Amino acid sequence: MGARGTVVLSPQALNRALLSRQLLLGRVDLGVSEATEHLFGLNAQDPDLAYFALWNRLERFAIQDLTVAIERGVLVRSTMMRATQHLMSAADFRLVRPVLAPLLRRVQRNAFGGRTTGVDLVELVADAAELLDGGVLTRPELGRALARTRPGADAQALGRTVQYLLALVHPAPSGTWGKRGATPFAVFPGVPETATSDDVRELIRRYLAAFGPATVADARTWSGVSGLREVFEHLRPELRTYTDEAGRELFDLPDHEIPSPDVPAPVRLLAEFDATLLAHADRTRVMTEPIRRQVCQGAAVAATVLVDGTVAATWTKDRTGALTVVPLRSISATDREAIEAEALRLLEFAAPDAVHDVRFSEWPTDEEMPRV
């Protein structure tokens, strides 16, 4: 117990809570839409990432399951949390997009404000909505169309500006397995321009359901939204609080239990940018600081191997069907066998017709191992 009887949660307890809510303590029997809503979105910087995320978490999952949900518009891909690409249910997009609007305006201003000086952004958004009315244009096509009536304007900056200022989604086949290329834009109907206080509070509840217990800084890191301290204070009467071993206050939903720290955690191969690694300001619940510096370099976040719930290695897959594991800390022979078995299952999912090969890179020397 901490001060005034507050329960103190160890990093191991926080780890198991996160893995439980992220469906990583055992695959579950859920449909793709239900699972995506439970997880409150899937990173979709690359189209294949959401597929790997669901494969790691669902008992029965096939590539076509997610593809059909995207094609039908049940799940939509757009610029969302932290101004990065995510896949969410249509209902969650309508909730989240207005809350993120101030963040996205700030990102546009910082990234493209200088390149859109003199452009009336309200008029630009209205023209873009008219051009997209009932149809689809790629970002370059939209940028060029907007530039025709704005002589001297930067077409690329115009197209990217609209991506941040208008509630757009990227319809299929964009975002489906293996489909890359120019990003298509379509206006998503029924999205309010501004969020209500209730919307922001609901976003926090949903975040805690998927990633709690968490601090205010954690929620800000996950979303990119500022001004959340007041929101948490308003919600305080309905939330449960803990502290971590550093004395930071953690918030949680009262009906969400904390699993035993001793619950076994299976080996999992997470794809790049998996939310499990990005949803908290303090990431020590899933990886040590030295390992974090190797996994998160600049804007890149490597694909990782979880052993006993924490990052033990990174992995890469090439087009020949070979998967290479790069250890970041000592891994036992038993855990190595479990990694190899899970890697073979991943290769069977991703490339069933290829010849599968799992390789481990040279084991780092004790001097090369990060200090933990």
Side-chain angles (χ1 to χ4, degrees):
M1 289 287 183
R4 298 188 301 277
T6 304
V7 175
V8 177
L9 297 178
S10 67
Q12 179 79 355
L14 290 171
N15 173 268
R16 292 311 194 252
L18 174 61
L19 296 182
S20 174
R21 300 192 194 180
Q22 282 293 295
L23 309 180
L24 292 170
L25 288 180
R27 289 181 169 90
V28 299
D29 186 12
L30 291 175
V32 297
S33 179
E34 186 179 4
T36 303
E37 289 196 334
H38 174 94
L39 298 165
F40 207 26
L42 304 170
N43 192 288
Q45 291 288 94
D46 180 88
D48 294 355
L49 300 185
Y51 289 82
F52 285 121
L54 292 178
W55 174 82
N56 268 303
R57 292 162 167 91
L58 302 184
E59 286 181 355
R60 289 181 288 275
F61 175 68
I63 287 172
Q64 188 64 13
D65 298 336
L66 181 52
T67 297
V68 168
I70 297 171
E71 290 174 343
R72 292 178 177 173
V74 175
L75 300 178
V76 297
R77 183 172 177 248
S78 184
T79 303
M80 288 185 262
M81 286 76 75
R82 304 180 302 282
T84 59
Q85 293 293 308
H86 280 74
L87 194 67
M88 302 191 89
S89 72
D92 282 348
F93 180 68
R94 289 190 177 95
L95 166 70
V96 170
R97 180 58 176 75
V99 180
L100 298 178
L103 161 71
L104 299 177
R105 287 195 294 268
R106 186 169 68 249
V107 171
Q108 185 281 328
R109 186 167 56 250
N110 292 340
F112 301 103
R115 295 165 62 183
T116 55
T117 300
V119 175
D120 185 322
L121 298 184
V122 173
E123 184 180 89
L124 180 76
V125 169
D127 288 352
E130 184 175 350
L131 286 166
L132 291 168
D133 185 23
V136 177
L137 292 172
T138 66
R139 182 167 53 205
E141 289 171 342
L142 179 62
R144 289 193 294 269
L146 292 167
R148 290 190 192 106
T149 56
R150 295 167 174 82
D154 183 331
Q156 183 187 62
L158 296 181
R160 289 189 173 275
T161 287
V162 171
Q163 181 170 347
Y164 293 113
L165 302 186
L166 187 60
L168 300 173
V169 296
H170 313 313
S174 178
T176 60
W177 182 261
K179 296 295 191 298
R180 298 171 181 86
T183 303
F185 285 169
V187 174
F188 194 81
V191 178
E193 291 188 7
T194 58
T196 66
S197 297
D198 286 342
D199 292 336
V200 183
R201 290 193 284 268
E202 181 61 15
L203 177 135
I204 295 304
R205 294 186 191 98
R206 294 289 303 282
Y207 165 74
L208 292 175
F211 300 103
T215 66
V216 176
D218 291 332
R220 183 169 56 246
T221 294
W222 167 80
S223 64
V225 175
S226 58
L228 294 180
R229 172 65 64 183
E230 292 183 3
V231 180
F232 274 88
E233 288 302 325
H234 190 279
L235 288 171
R236 182 181 291 275
E238 69 178 73
L239 299 178
R240 185 174 181 180
T241 59
Y242 304 91
T243 60
D244 64 15
E245 290 184 345
R248 290 173 291 228
E249 186 174 38
L250 302 159
F251 294 87
D252 201 11
L253 300 177
D255 58 346
H256 282 56
E257 297 298 323
I258 307 298
S260 167
D262 299 324
V263 171
V267 164
R268 288 289 182 264
L269 275 69
L270 304 182
E272 297 93 328
F273 300 103
D274 193 282
T276 309
L277 274 62
L278 296 174
H280 302 88
D282 176 15
R283 299 174 185 175
T284 55
R285 68 186 70 193
V286 286
M287 54 186 164
T288 65
E289 180 58 22
I291 285 179
R292 184 200 66 78
R293 289 196 294 268
Q294 296 184 76
V295 170
C296 305
Q297 298 189 5
V301 180
T304 54
V305 180
L306 299 186
V307 176
D308 192 28
T310 60
V311 175
T314 61
W315 64 272
T316 56
K317 180 176 67 67
D318 65 28
R319 295 181 179 179
T320 69
L323 188 151
T324 301
V325 176
V326 181
L328 300 177
R329 58 176 168 84
S330 297
I331 300 174
S332 71
T334 299
D335 288 333
R336 176 175 167 143
E337 290 176 2
I339 292 170
E340 184 172 6
E342 187 71 359
L344 287 171
R345 285 191 285 269
L346 183 148
L347 291 171
E348 178 62 29
F349 163 78
D353 298 327
V355 176
H356 302 148
D357 180 25
V358 178
R359 306 165 184 170
F360 286 79
S361 72
E362 291 297 322
W363 296 97
T365 65
D366 289 341
E367 289 75 20
E368 293 171 326
M369 281 290 184
R371 300 300 178 187
V372 297

